[in-house]
Amino acid sequence: MEAYRKDGFVKVEGILDPEEIQTFYEEALGIAQANQATADSRGTDGAILNQKVNVWRESEIMKALTLHPSITHVAKQLAGVPLRLWHDQILAKAPQNGRRTEWHQDQPYWPHANSSHPISVWVALCDVPANKGSMSFIPGAQHRDDIPEQSLSDDRSLFALAPELEYEPKVTLPLRAGDCTFHHGRCPHMANANHTDEYRVAHVAIYIDATTTYCPGAEGFSRTHPVTEPLGLQSGDLLAGDLFPQI
């Protein structure tokens, strides 16, 4: 907990047991491959990664991972405040995809207010060495809440907005299947390209303060969000109910 408070991220080994890992991996890989096939058929391939949002609402297996008691317990302990689910997502990188997810913070992408303790868990569902798309972090930079939305595809985006961060130490965390990282929504991070012949499959669950309200004009936020766009929310509405359950 002390390391998380200081650095804005922490690695937790073996949060899932081997039998669970296999079940979640097979389900996530199947969803990712179906999502890729849809992108190919629409001619929309070429993305940095294969992303499927809110899979917990479509798959009971992935719901069990998103709300896994071992994961939610750690998230609540690290955040230190009541939390609710914002959304989950499968993040897969195809074999030899060759593209990095560039340095960014997560929170500027979200239309939120009243959320100071957002926390994401990135669960490796296969072994993720550095050349397969592992994550890197900038320790201690989670206090930077003054940086507007950054581009995932531009390697200069974050550093153009906050030049001093380019010279801060960076920490890369390869993971074994079943390991995970927890990181604050303002902790800058990136993911390497997948240079292997296998899919890199990760599952992310994002939790936010239970007090979080919808704020389409949040500082630095410049676009709609796929989770909230269809809900007809008004500015100031509490993100609550069945779509944003407390954990």
Side-chain angles (χ1 to χ4, degrees), residues 96-97 128-134 172 174 192-197 200:
Q96 301 294 343
N97 87 317
V128 186
N131 67 340
K132 198 174 181 176
S134 65
T172 299
N192 290 314
N194 181 7
H195 293 297
T196 75
D197 294 327
R200 187 220 70 186

Side-chain angles (χ1 to χ4, degrees), residues 30-45 50 52:
I31 292 170
Q33 290 175 328
N35 196 45
Q36 185 65 55
T38 299
D40 292 344
S41 69
R42 293 175 178 171
T44 55
D45 191 18
N50 179 340
K52 179 71 172 178

Side-chain angles (χ1 to χ4, degrees), residues 11 18 23 35 37 39 49 61 67 97 169 174 188 193 203 231 243:
K11 176 180 175 178
T23 298
N35 196 45
L49 48 77
I61 293 175
L67 301 177
N97 87 317
H203 184 69
L231 302 181
L243 299 181

Side-chain angles (χ1 to χ4, degrees), residues 86-87 106-115 149 186 208 211-231 233-239 244:
W86 165 225
H87 68 79
D106 292 333
Q107 196 170 31
Y109 286 87
W110 304 333
H112 292 172
N114 306 309
S115 181
E149 182 180 323
R186 286 281 181 176
I208 53 178
T211 55
T212 302
T213 55
Y214 177 60
C215 183
E219 185 175 354
F221 186 78
S222 61
R223 59 195 179 111
T224 59
H225 193 282
V227 171
T228 50
E229 185 177 5
L231 302 181
L233 296 171
Q234 299 298 311
S235 182
D237 284 350
L238 183 68
L239 296 178
F244 310 104

Side-chain angles (χ1 to χ4, degrees), residues 169-190:
K170 316 297 190 293
V171 175
T172 299
L173 293 178
L175 301 177
R176 295 281 191 184
D179 294 347
C180 69
T181 58
F182 290 83
H183 69 265
H184 188 279
R186 286 281 181 176
C187 182
H189 57 284
M190 59 83 69

Side-chain angles (χ1 to χ4, degrees), residues 45-154:
D45 191 18
I48 297 171
L49 48 77
N50 179 340
Q51 179 183 28
K52 179 71 172 178
V53 174
N54 265 345
V55 290
W56 74 280
R57 295 172 58 186
E58 301 179 17
S59 165
E60 288 296 319
I61 293 175
M62 300 315 297
K63 180 179 181 179
L65 177 54
T66 295
L67 301 177
H68 196 292
S70 296
I71 290 172
T72 57
H73 173 74
V74 174
K76 287 184 286 188
Q77 292 294 310
L78 293 175
V81 298
L83 298 175
R84 64 177 72 251
L85 177 66
W86 165 225
H87 68 79
D88 68 355
Q89 56 192 353
I90 292 171
L91 298 180
K93 287 197 172 185
Q96 301 294 343
N97 87 317
R99 299 190 66 185
R100 302 195 330 171
T101 308
E102 298 295 350
W103 288 102
H104 67 283
Q105 299 170 305
D106 292 333
Q107 196 170 31
Y109 286 87
W110 304 333
H112 292 172
N114 306 309
S115 181
S116 300
H117 306 84
I119 186 167
S120 298
V121 54
W122 198 97
V123 185
L125 297 179
C126 60
D127 289 346
V128 186
N131 67 340
K132 198 174 181 176
S134 65
M135 297 260 283
S136 299
F137 301 88
I138 302 179
Q142 71 277 8
H143 67 280
R144 291 298 305 269
D145 60 1
D146 59 330
I147 309 174
E149 182 180 323
Q150 305 115 45
S151 171
L152 299 180
S153 60
D154 181 354

